[in-house]
Amino acid sequence: MQETTLSETLYRVAVAVAERDDLHDIVQVVTDESTAVLGAEFGAFFYNVIDRDGESYSLYTISGVPRSRFEKFPMPRNTDVFRPTFEGSGPVRMDDVTTDPRFGHNEPYYGMPAGHLPVRSYLAASVFSPKGDVVGGLFFGHAQVGVFTEEHERIAEGIAVHAGLAIQKARLLEAERSARAEAEARADAAIALEFVEDGVVMVDQHGIVRLWNRAAESITGLRSQNVLGRAIGAAVAGWERVALAIPVGDDTGSTTPATLPLDTLRRGEVWLSIYGIAFAGGTVYAFRDVTGQRQLESLRSDVIATVSHELRTPIAAVYGAVQTLRGRTLDPSMADVLLDMIDTESVRLASLVEEILLTSQIDSERLQLERARVDPETVIRAAASTVGDGTLSVEVAAETPPACGDPEKVRQVVTNLVENAVKYAGAPVTVRARAVRDAVRFEVSDTGPGIARSEQQRIFEKFYRLDPHMREGVRGTGLGLYICRELVHRMQGRIGVESTEGRGSTFWFELPRY
Ligand code: ADP
């Protein structure tokens, strides 16, 4: 072969390789070009690839014959013929492989399997990586004897050098591509995490915060720029105190979150349902804010305690009175006192049960309200009769028009407000009614302790009491004003309070005119 042909071939291979990025394409070009220039009937290139998990396996390209001719045969093994090539111990050239002493010693075929290409001339060269490892082998065959010369051997070696560099290049490109893809996937994941409702935080093996998503910001009140790149213990006040109690699992199973309080500077105590997952690079924590839920739970148990206490007290009183009445002969005045007590406590009990029932009707939207004519004077008088004489003064302005609503429910609202005034403020209590714009306004005023501005909205919430543990000794469930608000709203009215601490309160509501 001419030197020009050789160098031309090597040049062509080099250009073809340089133009391609894909490992398989490169290897195919090398195989095709080398098979052609060597005048081989068929050529094959076996090469090792390493997959994403670091596993190495062999692929091959074929030239000169359809791939199907090879597919039923196993990969070349470490036989005497192939071993030198895979070990990198120089090219192997045989004029007639079938008569070569290295041929035909191995199970199961002792030579070429039936249906194999009719190889007589054989030439093989190892392909090295730039570091000197064998990354594959080029193999050529011909059906004729003595086709490959020493020069062919040199060409094969020359091409093998290019092939080694080409594979290296393709691998580097592939590594770069997958690194880029991984970086993009990470960036996508980081974007996705911004929209997750749970706080997601990643801390590396040195305890440095690497990720702090938007939900983590809003739950803790800490901006990511103040946390990222810092030690979590230093960046997140209160973290060290909860860190040890956070259940941290690995990625093999589910971890049950723990509910823990975190002291935040901006939001005070925040309850988190939190768990962590440890991985090679650190720990990922996921958490959600369960502060509201916890408050509700503690409110619920407070409520159960309050309601049962409220029910038990009158029952005990009635029971005690009955026992006393039964036990002995009492003088009639004592018996009257006890009977009165039974009377009051039974009424209290009934109204308590009524309150609870009404609340549940309101909550389940089962309450039916009339839209009828409500005479303010009548309603106020009826309400006044439930509290003792002399406590209450009633001022109904002349020509106060009738209101529109459910008379029984309006009476209930006025009664509630009056009873509260008596309970929390004591006499004097004034109940007024008058016309305002297109409505009728009712007011219940007292000169008691008043209500702080910050509490004036909340007292209308269900179960809300200023003194939830009844330290002041005034009993109640926190349902009264909630019921008032709901009833008034359902009658298309408005309700509110005007109050100055220490000076008394005026609870008011307005109903549409009839
Ligand atoms: P309850 O009286 O059963 O506690 P309410 O819903 O009727 O429940 O009232 C809620 C809270 O509002 C009371 O616990 C009390 O602290 C406050 N409150 C109601 N009325 C008055 C009032 N006239 N003066 C001062 N505080 C009041």
Side-chain angles (χ1 to χ4, degrees):
M1 181 177 293
Q2 302 291 313
E3 274 301 312
T4 46
T5 325
L6 170 59
S7 52
E8 251 172 45
T9 303
L10 291 180
Y11 176 73
R12 268 218 315 282
V13 170
V15 170
V17 156
E19 282 172 347
R20 287 168 174 76
D21 290 346
D22 180 75
L23 178 61
H24 199 80
D25 281 357
I26 290 172
V27 172
Q28 185 68 56
V29 167
V30 171
T31 317
D32 290 345
E33 290 287 346
S34 53
T35 305
V37 77
L38 292 170
E41 270 185 328
F42 23 79
F45 190 166
F46 287 86
Y47 60 104
N48 298 325
V49 287
I50 292 159
D51 68 13
R52 276 171 188 275
D53 299 327
E55 297 284 331
S56 152
Y57 61 103
S58 294
L59 288 178
Y60 63 99
T61 53
I62 303 279
S63 196
V65 284
R67 203 174 169 87
S68 56
R69 293 289 306 269
F70 262 85
E71 252 147 24
K72 45 188 177 303
F73 303 123
M75 289 281 177
R77 294 177 302 139
N78 256 348
T79 61
D80 290 348
V81 173
F82 295 127
R83 187 182 306 113
T85 309
F86 291 127
E87 281 179 353
S89 51
V92 178
R93 181 161 61 90
M94 300 175 191
D95 282 338
D96 184 351
V97 66
T98 58
T99 59
D100 193 280
R102 287 168 285 187
F103 178 75
H105 303 300
N106 293 286
E107 287 188 291
Y109 305 119
Y110 299 98
M112 277 174 264
H116 195 280
L117 294 165
V119 181
R120 300 295 286 275
S121 294
Y122 174 89
L123 175 62
S126 313
V127 176
F128 297 95
S129 76
K131 274 199 279 176
D133 309 320
V134 180
V135 292
L138 277 163
F139 301 86
F140 305 97
H142 201 288
Q144 306 277 303
V145 173
V147 169
F148 302 122
T149 63
E150 208 182 314
E151 192 171 6
H152 285 121
E153 205 177 299
R154 276 199 295 131
I155 295 174
E157 277 189 299
I159 292 176
V161 169
H162 277 286
L165 291 171
I167 286 181
Q168 172 74 0
K169 169 191 153 184
R171 281 184 178 168
L172 289 174
L173 283 172
E174 177 51 32
E176 194 186 302
R177 252 196 304 268
S178 65
R180 203 179 316 130
E182 199 171 310
E184 278 167 12
R186 269 178 196 238
D188 286 348
I191 290 170
L193 284 177
E194 285 303 294
F195 298 100
V196 170
E197 269 183 48
D198 287 2
V200 179
V201 169
M202 193 176 96
V203 175
D204 70 14
Q205 32 328 21
H206 309 294
I208 305 296
V209 181
R210 295 293 170 203
L211 183 126
W212 189 264
N213 76 344
R214 208 177 290 175
E217 286 190 342
S218 63
I219 293 171
T220 60
L222 290 168
R223 313 280 304 158
S224 62
Q225 60 262 37
N226 299 329
V227 180
L228 288 180
R230 295 180 60 196
I232 189 158
V236 184
W239 179 264
E240 310 251 280
R241 234 165 302 137
V242 292
L244 283 178
I246 301 174
V248 177
D250 55 26
D251 56 5
T252 56
S254 63
T255 307
T256 312
T259 302
L260 300 168
L262 181 74
D263 284 325
T264 64
L265 292 176
R266 291 236 338 259
R267 293 191 53 213
E269 186 181 71
V270 171
W271 283 82
L272 303 179
S273 169
I274 185 168
Y275 66 99
I277 300 284
F279 69 109
T283 308
V284 173
Y285 296 95
F287 50 87
R288 54 183 53 183
D289 185 353
V290 292
T291 315
Q293 259 159 276
R294 269 198 67 96
Q295 280 167 348
L296 212 64
E297 273 162 30
S298 81
L299 182 71
R300 200 169 291 150
S301 58
D302 279 0
V303 164
I304 292 174
T306 312
V307 169
S308 8
H309 181 258
E310 283 295 282
L311 289 172
R312 211 168 39 203
T313 317
I315 291 173
V318 169
Y319 182 76
V322 170
Q323 293 302 315
T324 319
L325 280 170
R326 260 218 190 112
R328 312 165 218 146
T329 30
L330 293 168
D331 69 278
S333 65
M334 185 60 185
D336 277 347
V337 170
L338 290 173
L339 285 170
D340 278 350
M341 184 207 267
I342 293 174
D343 192 352
T344 350
E345 292 300 325
S346 311
V347 169
R348 238 175 78 77
L349 206 53
S351 82
L352 206 62
V353 171
E354 179 65 16
E355 259 189 354
I356 294 167
L357 213 63
L358 201 53
T359 304
S360 102
Q361 280 174 346
I362 288 169
D363 290 349
S364 59
E365 303 291 340
R366 278 183 290 120
L367 193 66
Q368 300 284 334
L369 291 181
E370 265 186 79
R371 288 176 60 79
R373 182 193 158 97
V374 180
D375 178 47
E377 175 98 36
T378 317
V379 171
I380 293 173
R381 296 278 167 215
S385 70
T386 58
V387 294
D389 290 340
T391 338
L392 213 65
S393 57
V394 177
E395 296 171 14
V396 178
E399 284 158 36
T400 304
C404 176
D406 186 318
E408 176 47 30
K409 299 295 184 274
V410 180
R411 186 199 58 78
Q412 205 156 3
V413 173
V414 180
T415 308
N416 258 334
L417 298 180
V418 167
E419 280 176 354
N420 273 354
V422 172
K423 207 158 72 160
Y424 295 105
V429 175
T430 312
V431 188
R432 296 185 189 86
R434 66 189 150 97
V436 288
R437 301 175 308 275
D438 52 352
V440 183
R441 184 176 173 103
F442 296 79
E443 289 178 356
V444 178
S445 304
D446 64 59
T447 52
I451 297 149
R453 180 168 285 276
S454 58
E455 303 281 6
Q456 290 178 5
Q457 283 292 321
R458 301 204 64 187
I459 51 172
F460 290 95
E461 287 170 16
K462 190 167 24 169
F463 296 121
Y464 193 79
R465 305 197 75 231
L466 297 185
D467 173 28
H469 303 294
M470 289 178 256
R471 293 203 180 87
E472 309 277 325
V474 182
R475 285 147 60 175
T477 53
L479 288 173
L481 289 178
Y482 168 73
I483 292 171
C484 290
R485 181 186 74 183
E486 295 305 308
L487 291 179
V488 168
H489 286 174
R490 280 165 173 73
M491 292 185 282
Q492 276 72 53
R494 308 191 305 138
I495 189 166
V497 65
E498 279 154 21
S499 180
T500 311
E501 266 186 291
R503 292 264 192 86
S505 319
T506 295
F507 282 85
W508 59 266
F509 66 97
E510 292 173 3
L511 292 176
R513 294 185 190 204
Y514 183 66

